[in-house]
Amino acid sequence: MEQVFLKPLAESNFRINPTVSADLAIAVRWVLQIQQRYYRYRCTKALESLGLKDEFATQLIMDESAIGYNQLISTLDEYIAAQPALALDKNIQQFGQLIGLTALEVSIFRFVLIARSWRLVFSDVRASRYYATSNDVFELVAHCINANADDVEMALMPTSTLALCNLVTMERGSDLADYFRSLRVFDKLFANDCNPNDLLQKFSHTAEVPELNATDFPHLADAIQLMERLLSYALSQRQTGVNFLLYGSPGTGKTELAKWLGYQVSGHVMGVSAFSGVDVHGAKSRLNALLMCQRLYAASGDRVLIFDEADDVLPSQVGIAVGNTDALKMAINQLLETNATPCIWICNSIRHFDTAQLRRFSQIIHVETPPQPVRLNIAERYLGDTGVSKGYISALASDEQITPALLARLAKGHAALTDTSLSQKERDFDLILNPLLQARCGRRRKDACQAEINPAYYNTTVCMAELARQFKQTSDIRLCLYGPPGTGKTSYAAFLAQQAQMPLVQKNASELLGSYVGETEKAIAEAFAEAEQGGAILLLDEVDSFLGKRQQAERHWQKTMTNELLVQLDQYQGALVCTTNFIEMLDPAAVRRFDLKIQLDYLTAAQAWQLLCELQQALGMPQPLTVTQQQFKALKLTPADFTIIKRQMRLQASEAISSDRIIAALRTEAELRQPTANVIGFVH
């Protein structure tokens, strides 16, 4: 920092270094004001750094010099008045008008920007040396800007406009200037070519035109229509406190839906930016940006704000309970009740949110994965021109975990794969999809290309082919298929969906069982709701994991899980298929709720013989000798055994494959399935 005061021309006064800028002169004036008023802040070191010699500085702080504080301050005032108008003063006034700051708030903001720019001037106005609380800070600032200390304290409260908009925040510091924080982007207000309006635009951006529309959300048609009406009315009537919350799993189209709704009612849809210059917005800073946007667009009355990824901004119930988010909760509550610009909040989950805040939203919409027919339409739109087969597109649409966002990612990746073959492109798409699915839900994409299902190979007292035909007429039945593993229970549910031309929603333990109390019950309810809304068949695989006998439950959550399933079974209006290997383990109250309890047993000898004939034909072998049919009577085989043997034979040389070898392999599979008897006592 250059020397401010030069050697006096006469004994009457000092002169100002002509290289000193107006803002530096203002900062020096404030320091001299503080020293003049408060003896405890008088410091010869600070005066010497300004160009006042040691002997004179000592006399000055002792009020014994011929030139006093008043004369030095008057000299600075004359120098400041003779300088060109400070660009900061014009810019900060315009900035304050744009976001509705009061005159006091503008003065405080100006003080902080100048003080932070010239921290060395304030380096000896030290908190640790002279005071232990922030009360002195308010008094010092008030004295510098000629305001009331109580008013300054109110303007700097954590819930004040300056703090909530992240213009000025307070932290414990080593000196007066270090007590305050402000985003570096506001330093641009010092520049002559600064446009405050452009500066504010860094906190928001115009939302892109959506790629999806209302036709991609038919399962939410009523909620979307209501939200559009509420949003339109809020804009026309200039209502305050209008907020909407869209939540759901990542990639389900929440942001696209928000943009579409916004553009339906307004030509100006703004997203709250995640960055401001070089300052990355964390949770609190992103909220500050939202508050800034609310103030910026309050007067226009024709804009809709979209606040994406709000999960880290809304405080959790735990944080509120321990009291470490009280100020944040109060600020958000106030925002939700008073915001002048309608805002659409987007998050992935509301599980941990405080109900006191959730109730303040005008409408909450759960954006779930679209039903299979809708997913197929979206997949065809994104991938129809990429050259992949219709079967591949249909397979993608059949997997409920492949969301519109993942389909959009594949479409973007297509640009780099234009010169690859059809089969290679599908493999490349799988290389993109499978790691994403593995990270999200712990599995690869489902393969819809399953083997042809023949109901003739079900060993049961019910004609499964006739049941499938009747199912088309009465599609709200509840089936419980039980029997040994591999008898075709799960595949029959897929066969029913195929015959009835209905989507299949399959849920197993890994998708429904949660780590926390209440998560499993919620997942069960959501599974039934998903199937009912999508007009799908709900398949609960290995249902004994959820419907165990309550009398044998060791934990309370096991009982509540069964109770939830029983309630859902009573209320459900769609088709349900449950499979289990152990029907005797199911709760009796659950068993009686199934319309049909069908046992799928091991294959009969005739069925096993026919499957062997088909297997040998597929392997290019002649039909087996009739006498081998007798060997199947003693074996307990399932259709899955023949599928496994077919895969095993692919690893054998063709000349080594024979009927005897196949039967031996089948016998091994059957024996492995039988439980090993535990011998108790003496062995002779």
Side-chain angles (χ1 to χ4, degrees):
M1 184 183 73
E2 62 265 42
Q3 186 173 308
V4 177
F5 293 101
L6 299 178
K7 186 177 179 180
L9 296 174
E11 291 296 328
S12 59
N13 206 345
F14 280 80
R15 61 189 177 92
I16 307 298
N17 186 345
T19 63
V20 170
S21 61
D23 52 325
L24 173 55
I26 293 171
V28 172
R29 187 190 192 283
W30 286 336
V31 171
L32 293 180
Q33 280 183 265
I34 292 172
Q35 288 201 13
Q36 181 186 32
R37 174 73 178 270
Y38 304 98
Y39 280 86
R40 61 183 179 274
Y41 296 118
R42 294 188 178 185
C43 175
T44 56
K45 180 181 176 183
L47 295 174
E48 290 173 6
S49 67
L50 299 178
L52 301 174
K53 299 304 180 182
D54 183 24
E55 182 179 351
F56 174 79
T58 302
Q59 293 176 351
L60 181 62
I61 64 175
M62 298 294 293
D63 290 330
E64 296 176 353
S65 66
I67 303 173
Y69 280 103
N70 283 332
Q71 288 175 279
L72 293 176
I73 292 173
S74 297
T75 302
L76 286 169
D77 287 340
E78 292 173 4
Y79 180 82
I80 294 169
Q83 300 302 307
L86 195 62
L88 174 66
D89 290 336
K90 180 193 69 172
N91 293 335
I92 205 168
Q93 288 294 335
Q94 185 179 349
F95 182 90
Q97 291 175 1
L98 288 172
I99 63 173
L101 295 181
T102 65
L104 176 61
E105 290 168 339
V106 170
S107 297
I108 295 174
F109 189 28
R110 177 178 179 268
F111 172 85
V112 170
L113 291 180
I114 294 177
R116 292 288 298 176
S117 295
W118 297 103
R119 277 195 55 192
L120 285 176
V121 176
F122 294 89
S123 60
D124 286 290
V125 185
R126 294 189 176 275
S128 58
R129 184 178 301 172
Y130 298 109
Y131 48 83
T133 68
S134 58
N135 292 333
D136 271 6
V137 174
F138 304 133
E139 190 173 347
L140 294 178
V141 174
H143 179 62
C144 291
I145 65 175
N146 193 26
N148 181 275
D150 292 336
D151 294 338
V152 171
E153 181 178 4
M154 293 300 297
L156 289 171
M157 293 287 286
T159 56
S160 66
T161 299
L162 291 175
L164 292 178
C165 291
N166 214 17
L167 299 176
V168 177
T169 57
M170 294 186 64
E171 294 182 10
R172 183 71 179 177
S174 59
D175 54 57
L176 178 61
D178 196 38
Y179 243 82
F180 300 100
R181 297 289 185 273
S182 185
L183 295 178
R184 290 191 297 273
V185 70
F186 295 128
D187 291 342
K188 295 181 180 180
L189 290 170
F190 285 94
N192 288 315
D193 58 350
C194 173
N195 185 337
N197 196 43
D198 293 341
L199 183 63
L200 284 170
Q201 299 306 320
K202 294 181 179 293
F203 292 91
S204 65
H205 60 274
T206 301
E208 297 178 353
V209 177
E211 297 179 358
L212 304 181
N213 54 57
T215 60
D216 298 311
F217 302 92
H219 53 302
L220 302 173
D222 293 338
I224 291 174
Q225 185 180 12
L226 174 61
M227 181 172 169
E228 184 179 350
R229 290 170 57 192
L230 293 175
L231 196 54
S232 178
Y233 185 80
L235 286 174
S236 63
Q237 300 299 315
R238 304 292 295 270
Q239 286 184 323
T240 59
V242 177
N243 296 275
F244 302 89
L245 179 61
L246 307 183
Y247 77 97
S249 300
T252 52
K254 302 181 294 296
T255 304
E256 291 292 302
L257 176 59
K259 291 189 293 187
W260 183 86
L261 281 163
Y263 279 117
Q264 288 300 110
V265 300
S266 171
H268 305 282
V269 181
M270 312 302 295
V272 178
S273 297
F275 296 91
S276 174
V278 296
D279 294 288
V280 182
H281 285 202
K284 188 174 180 180
S285 295
R286 292 182 62 242
L287 177 61
N288 299 145
L290 173 61
L291 290 160
M292 185 79 78
C293 291
Q294 285 290 349
R295 284 186 162 269
L296 177 62
Y297 301 126
S300 64
D302 62 347
R303 283 172 168 77
V304 174
L305 283 174
I306 296 179
F307 191 52
D308 210 346
E309 303 297 343
D311 306 69
D312 58 343
V313 174
L314 291 171
S316 67
Q317 296 181 26
V318 175
I320 293 172
V322 300
N324 59 5
T325 57
D326 291 342
L328 183 59
K329 177 185 177 183
M330 186 181 302
I332 293 177
N333 288 348
Q334 182 179 0
L335 171 64
L336 292 173
E337 292 174 350
T338 62
N339 62 298
T341 304
C343 183
I344 303 175
W345 300 57
I346 302 173
C347 62
N348 295 327
S349 173
I350 61 173
R351 183 179 61 198
H352 300 303
F353 290 168
D354 184 37
T355 54
Q357 291 178 340
L358 291 178
R359 73 170 181 81
R360 287 176 164 85
F361 285 95
S362 303
Q363 186 182 4
I364 298 177
I365 299 179
H366 185 192
V367 183
E368 304 166 291
T369 302
Q372 184 174 353
V374 178
R375 295 201 302 270
L376 180 59
N377 291 335
I378 297 175
E380 289 175 345
R381 187 189 317 160
Y382 278 124
L383 306 179
D385 297 331
T386 61
V388 296
S389 65
K390 291 185 176 180
Y392 182 79
I393 293 177
S394 178
L396 296 183
S398 67
D399 192 334
E400 69 279 0
Q401 293 294 341
I402 299 181
T403 61
L406 291 181
L407 295 172
R409 185 176 296 275
L410 293 182
K412 290 181 180 179
H414 166 65
L417 307 174
T418 53
D419 57 344
T420 56
S421 64
L422 170 62
S423 59
Q424 181 60 42
K425 186 176 294 184
E426 292 181 356
R427 285 196 294 270
D428 289 340
F429 279 176
D430 281 345
L431 287 175
I432 296 174
L433 273 178
N434 286 328
L436 294 172
L437 291 173
Q438 194 75 36
R440 177 179 172 181
C441 54
R443 64 166 175 81
R444 300 163 62 89
R445 76 170 181 87
K446 294 179 181 178
D447 188 2
C449 301
Q450 298 177 346
E452 188 72 22
I453 298 172
N454 188 346
Y457 295 133
Y458 288 109
N459 182 15
T460 180
T461 57
V462 178
C463 179
M464 303 302 278
E466 180 62 27
L467 177 61
R469 285 191 290 270
Q470 294 297 326
F471 184 82
K472 295 181 181 180
Q473 309 298 325
T474 309
S475 58
D476 61 346
I477 61 175
R478 304 167 189 177
L479 302 180
C480 179
L481 305 179
Y482 67 97
T487 52
K489 300 181 292 296
T490 302
S491 61
Y492 186 71
F495 177 72
L496 279 180
Q498 180 184 6
Q499 294 299 306
Q501 296 184 342
M502 295 173 64
L504 179 67
V505 175
Q506 181 175 351
K507 299 294 182 180
N508 49 37
S510 63
E511 295 173 286
L512 296 181
L513 293 178
S515 303
Y516 300 98
V517 174
E519 280 190 345
T520 301
E521 292 84 345
K522 185 176 181 180
I524 290 171
E526 290 176 348
F528 278 90
E530 177 186 350
E532 191 165 356
Q533 291 178 4
I537 298 174
L538 177 59
L539 169 61
L540 297 181
D541 218 354
E542 307 297 346
V543 75
D544 47 274
S545 302
F546 317 108
L547 278 176
K549 293 179 179 179
R550 286 168 290 183
Q551 297 88 338
Q552 300 176 1
E554 297 180 357
R555 299 288 186 273
H556 177 70
W557 63 266
Q558 294 173 314
K559 296 180 180 180
T560 59
M561 177 178 62
T562 301
N563 290 338
E564 178 64 30
L565 254 175
L566 294 176
V567 172
Q568 293 296 332
L569 286 173
D570 287 335
Q571 299 175 351
Y572 186 55
Q573 300 298 318
L576 174 67
V577 178
C578 293
T579 68
T580 179
N581 300 329
F582 310 101
I583 193 171
E584 67 278 2
M585 296 177 61
L586 299 186
D587 193 278
V591 174
R592 73 167 182 81
R593 284 172 165 82
F594 292 107
D595 300 322
L596 292 174
K597 280 75 72 174
I598 302 175
Q599 181 181 13
L600 303 184
D601 208 344
Y602 293 110
L603 296 169
T604 63
Q607 290 174 323
W609 167 257
Q610 187 60 39
L611 277 174
L612 176 64
C613 293
E614 292 183 6
L615 174 59
Q616 295 200 179
Q617 183 179 0
L619 295 173
M621 298 171 58
Q623 288 236 348
L625 299 175
T626 308
V627 344
T628 59
Q629 183 173 359
Q630 303 300 321
Q631 302 177 38
F632 288 110
K633 291 185 177 181
L635 297 180
K636 294 182 177 181
L637 297 174
T638 68
D641 293 332
F642 288 87
T643 302
I644 293 173
I645 299 307
K646 183 178 180 180
R647 293 165 64 104
Q648 290 180 5
M649 293 301 111
R650 291 185 305 178
L651 305 176
Q652 303 291 331
S654 57
E655 61 272 12
I657 302 176
S658 64
S659 298
D660 292 339
R661 193 181 188 96
I662 292 175
I663 294 173
L666 287 171
R667 182 177 292 107
T668 300
E669 292 295 327
E671 291 173 353
L672 288 174
R673 191 166 42 247
Q674 301 306 316
T676 303
N678 294 323
V679 178
I680 301 176
F682 296 98
V683 179
H684 297 282

